[in-house]
Each structure stands twice: as C-alpha cells, then as structure tokens.
Amino acid sequence: MSKKSLPTTQKQGKARLGDQIRSIADRLKQETDIQIKVTSKILGAAAQIAENHDRLITEVVDMVESDLNLESQVSQKHIYTIDILKQQFKTLRNAKAHFNLKVSSWESLVNKLNAPSYQISIKQHKTQSNQIYTNNAENYLNDIEKLIIFLEPDVAEMFPNSEAVNEALRFLIRLASKNCF
C-alpha cells in the first residue's frame, strides 16, 4: 500500500513544483515587461533632455549675441551733447548726480564726459562688466553640462520627454533598492 501512495505523492510534489516554476516564470515575465516599459520611458526622456540642451545652448548664444550687439551700440553712444543730456536728465543737478561729477554748466559737463580720460574709464568699466558677464555665462553653461545626459538614437526614440526618463529612473531605483540588484 505504501508503494501505491508514493507515486501519488510524487505526482502532487511534481504538480506543486510545476506550479511554483510557472508562478516564478510569470513574475519574471511581468518584471521583464515592466523593465522594458521603464527603459523605453527613460529613453524618451533622454531624447527630450537632449532636445532641451540644444534649446538652452541656442538661448545662451542668442543672449550673448544680443548683449554684444547692445554693447557695440552703447559704445557708439558715448559722445555727449548738451541737447542729449538735457533731454535725458532735465536738470544739470540730475546729470551731475548721475555721472558723479562736479561741474558748473552743461558745457563743462559735456567736455568732461567727452574727455579721453573719462572715455577710458567707461571702456574699463565695460571691460570689467563683460568679464563678469562672460564668467557668469561660462558658469551657467558648466552647470547645464553637468545635468546633460546623451542618449544613443535607438534609446532616445523610446522616451517622449524628460518626465518619462525621470519616472523610469525612479522606478529602477525603487526596484533596485527593493530587490538589491
């Protein structure tokens, strides 16, 4: 009798083992499907990041060009006349305060402002301002470059935007911390 019950027990054990293997296979398939979806979202997000990077670089270049154009226009405007100063400042007192100069007439103010020594100080101030602006722009670009991630084209076409990439990365982080890859 024990011989007849043994095969039944073996069949039940094999059936349970088969069920466990199928269950594990199903879970692995689900995890694989999730990983594929996450990876595609990461790739889409990376593509969006690359697109945003190009847009930011273009914006920075446009800003620098605009500032350079403005500077060249300003440098051409440093020839002062009495009429221009009167229009801009209305009173001699306001003009003197703006330029921080001591003069007794509009004519003496124009002479001081158009004097070569005053023009040199304007150029020095502009050079210092440009250096500060250049340093700030370089720091900004360096900060942007630290945030940039480049994706291969096949990866990039899988993610529609940076939100998708971030979502996928967060999911992978949770999955990794949960499963301790």
Side-chain angles (χ1 to χ4, degrees), residues 4-5 11 28 48 82 117 123 151:
K4 288 185 179 179
S5 66
K11 285 181 184 177
L28 287 174
Q48 184 66 41
I82 293 173
S117 61
K123 288 179 185 174
L151 301 176

Side-chain angles (χ1 to χ4, degrees), residues 1 5 16 22 43 60 91 100 112 130 137 141-142 156 175:
M1 187 161 173
S5 66
R16 274 191 251 140
R22 277 190 287 282
L43 296 175
V60 169
T91 67
N100 197 25
K112 280 193 175 187
N130 286 345
L141 286 174
N142 287 337
L175 192 63

Side-chain angles (χ1 to χ4, degrees), residues 42-60 144 147-152 156-157 159-163 165:
I42 290 171
L43 296 175
Q48 184 66 41
I49 290 170
E51 186 178 308
N52 289 343
H53 172 261
D54 291 343
R55 184 180 44 78
L56 286 172
I57 294 297
T58 301
E59 287 178 14
V60 169
I144 289 173
L147 299 174
I148 296 170
I149 299 169
F150 293 99
L151 301 176
E152 296 296 322
E157 67 186 32
F159 290 89
N161 54 40
S162 62
E163 182 180 319
V165 172

